[in-house]
Amino acid sequence: MGHIMQFATVQALQLAPFFISLVLYFSLVRKDPEGELWTTVLKCLPIVALVFYVLIKGFSLNKQFRRSQLILLGLVFSCGGDALLNVNLFPFGMVSFGVAHIFYISAFGWHPLKWIIGVCLYVPVIVFVVFVRKYLDDILVIGVPIYCVLIITMLWRALARAFDTKSYLASFCAFGAVLFVISDALIAVTMFLSVELPSPRLQIMITYYAAQFAIALSTSDDGLLPPCKNKDK
């Protein structure tokens, strides 16, 4: 019990910058940002804090920390995406987040495959892309379908890993992946379909930060447990 309490205390201290940066963002940025430098910095701070967490909770360049390395890169590109979206460079921000999802997919792995989960996720996404296609311009009509495939693949791999390992951290990470999809879905319906939601920025950012927090926290056991070798199912 003493070791568990000590571990929890250390984790809380390491995550303190993240929670402080959240308070700063939500208390100071009261309206939709319009590309200001200070709102861009505040928007990126929570992700920078999660990068800091992944580095200080235990990190190395050896194979035992490969998941931490990949998720760290995903967070870095997510931070870039946040900055680009905040200055109204949506296509470039989408590309940066797409690269982040590739790193997350690599971190979650492809074994076991759990292809049924993938099929169940891809079908509604295909329907959504077909429906929203007529609302997209020449660039987004190509970029949005590619991005949708990447983020849904990320969710698929996170769920497959959670069902396979049945660990608390893997399940929490999968929950974060679900929140990431919800956050981006909120962006899509408000931006492309002009759906009016109550406090849309708050809904988008709360689910987004919670998603990144869950994904980053899933690295906390890296280096503590021997790597598992799984077979396709």
Side-chain angles (χ1 to χ4, degrees):
M1 180 64 71
H3 290 297
I4 295 176
M5 289 299 297
Q6 182 180 10
F7 178 75
T9 301
V10 170
Q11 291 284 304
L13 291 173
Q14 292 171 342
L15 286 165
F18 170 72
F19 293 112
I20 292 171
S21 63
L22 283 184
V23 172
L24 288 174
Y25 175 78
F26 286 111
S27 61
L28 296 178
V29 183
R30 296 297 185 88
K31 61 178 183 178
D32 290 341
E34 297 179 357
E36 307 95 340
L37 176 61
W38 70 274
T39 61
T40 303
V41 171
L42 286 177
K43 184 180 182 184
C44 293
L45 269 182
I47 307 304
V48 173
L50 291 177
V51 168
F52 175 72
Y53 166 76
V54 173
L55 288 172
I56 65 169
K57 54 82 189 169
F59 186 84
S60 174
L61 295 179
N62 61 39
K63 292 182 179 180
Q64 206 170 3
F65 288 87
R66 178 167 173 75
R67 186 154 45 90
S68 289
Q69 297 162 13
L70 292 167
I71 287 179
L72 177 69
L73 290 170
L75 289 169
V76 169
F77 276 93
S78 293
C79 188
D82 284 331
L84 291 166
L85 292 183
N86 207 65
V87 296
N88 299 318
L89 294 174
F90 185 84
F92 296 100
M94 187 170 60
V95 169
S96 190
F97 273 112
V99 174
H101 290 312
I102 291 173
F103 283 118
Y104 289 154
I105 292 165
S106 300
F108 303 151
W110 289 97
H111 303 285
L113 192 59
K114 302 285 187 184
W115 62 270
I116 294 178
I117 297 176
V119 171
C120 292
L121 292 174
Y122 283 127
V123 170
V125 168
I126 292 172
V127 173
F128 170 78
V129 169
V130 171
F131 176 75
V132 81
R133 183 181 176 88
K134 59 186 176 182
Y135 298 100
L136 306 177
D137 61 26
D138 292 340
I139 296 177
L140 295 181
V141 78
I142 298 173
V144 167
I146 295 174
Y147 182 82
C148 287
V149 169
L150 290 174
I151 192 172
I152 289 302
T153 302
M154 183 275 295
L155 175 58
W156 170 28
R157 299 323 308 151
L159 290 172
R161 179 170 172 268
F163 280 115
D164 181 55
T165 63
K166 296 180 175 61
S167 74
Y168 166 75
L169 287 174
S171 298
F172 192 52
C173 181
F175 177 66
V178 172
L179 290 178
F180 213 135
V181 173
I182 291 174
S183 179
D184 280 6
L186 291 172
I187 294 176
V189 298
T190 55
M191 182 175 181
F192 304 139
L193 304 180
S194 301
V195 175
E196 294 186 7
L197 298 173
S199 303
R201 183 180 65 86
L202 283 179
Q203 293 188 53
I204 290 167
M205 297 311 298
I206 288 172
T207 50
Y208 169 69
Y209 286 135
Q212 296 282 32
F213 169 72
I215 292 172
L217 189 65
S218 72
T219 67
S220 63
D221 63 347
D222 269 17
L224 300 179
L225 299 173
C228 296
K229 294 182 179 180
N230 299 316
K231 297 180 179 180
D232 286 350
K233 292 185 180 179

